[in-house]
Amino acid sequence: MAVKQILTEPNKFLRQISKPVEKVGDEERKLMDDMLDTMYAAPGIGLAAIQIGIPKRIIVMDISRDENKKEPLYFVNPVIKNKNENKSRYEEGCLSVPDQFAEIERPKTCEVEYLDYYGKKQILKAEGLLATCIQHEIDHLEGILFIDYLSKLKKSMIIKKLSKFKSKRIIV
Ligand code: GNR
Ligand code: NI
């Protein structure tokens, strides 16, 4: 288990489309363990593999917010089904867009088909924060960040801030 560095915008890697996983094996499970460590250390409630520079369709999440009762979720090759036509708004943040927050509108509920930690096919019915978070994470697999839903002006202001911030640090 290891804590990895999280890539932040602007970064070309974050715009890549991640590749489907062919088989959930030990290498993938090791990656999921490292992703979970990285997510808890951040701390965050979700992480996509591309955020640590690995373009595989793998996501980890834990929305329990209770340090003593961890409830990790693992998603491999997740696909969204049955998006609710009703929307809900939620104040989103992203570990790859540090210290920036904005209300984003997304389908209120959805279903997700995916493979779990052991490669077993699962279906999850999501609502509330779970629905928001899984949609945010699946966006990462397509190279989409929540700031892409904002106006051009708001988005460019955020990217400018992050670029400035980056230029003062050595990290990539
Ligand atoms: O930690 C996170 N919190 C969060 C809050 C509202 C909506 C989405 C998220 S996901 C984010 C972690 C992250 O960047 N995952 O990609
Ligand atoms: Ni994110």
Side-chain angles (χ1 to χ4, degrees):
M1 309 263 263
V3 174
K4 306 286 186 183
Q5 189 186 304
I6 296 175
L7 304 178
T8 60
E9 179 79 342
N11 185 304
K12 270 195 259 168
F13 264 97
L14 293 171
R15 299 312 189 164
Q16 275 191 49
I17 295 180
S18 295
K19 295 213 167 61
V21 172
E22 283 181 16
K23 184 174 170 282
V24 184
D26 287 343
E27 193 187 324
E28 285 71 28
R29 279 186 282 273
K30 163 89 169 58
L31 172 60
M32 289 191 259
D33 292 344
D34 288 349
M35 285 169 62
L36 203 67
D37 276 357
T38 305
M39 183 192 81
Y40 285 136
I45 58 172
L47 191 79
I50 194 62
Q51 292 180 277
I52 56 168
I54 297 175
K56 289 188 180 181
R57 300 185 84 83
I58 297 181
I59 289 164
V60 297
M61 276 172 51
D62 188 338
I63 60 161
S64 69
R65 290 177 191 267
D66 183 348
E67 272 196 52
N68 303 314
K69 214 179 80 203
K70 291 185 175 165
E71 289 172 14
L73 293 169
Y74 306 89
F75 301 87
V76 177
N77 299 343
V79 179
I80 299 225
K81 300 268 159 95
N82 298 330
K83 288 184 198 167
N84 196 320
E85 49 194 62
N86 297 314
K87 313 278 189 223
S88 67
R89 299 176 72 79
Y90 204 94
E91 171 118 312
E92 296 196 18
C94 181
L95 295 171
S96 296
V97 187
D99 304 319
Q100 309 300 317
F101 303 90
E103 270 207 358
I104 304 294
E105 195 177 85
R106 298 184 189 271
K108 200 176 160 67
T109 66
C110 63
E111 290 181 21
V112 192
E113 263 186 43
Y114 63 100
L115 303 176
D116 67 13
Y117 193 78
Y118 301 101
K120 187 166 175 264
K121 193 172 163 181
Q122 304 278 0
I123 297 177
L124 173 78
K125 288 188 179 165
E127 58 173 44
L129 180 58
L130 187 61
T132 294
C133 193
I134 190 68
Q135 292 176 68
H136 172 116
E137 301 308 337
I138 290 175
D139 271 356
H140 276 300
L141 306 184
E142 299 298 325
I144 298 168
L145 300 173
F146 79 91
I147 53 172
D148 298 348
Y149 298 111
L150 303 176
S151 69
K152 270 192 184 166
L153 180 64
K154 275 190 191 163
K155 180 179 167 180
S156 67
M157 273 166 43
I158 288 176
I159 292 178
K160 208 167 129 190
K161 264 192 232 169
L162 295 176
S163 309
K164 242 188 202 167
F165 179 71
K166 263 195 177 179
S167 67
K168 294 185 185 156
R169 312 175 107 229
I170 315 145
I171 57 158
V172 185

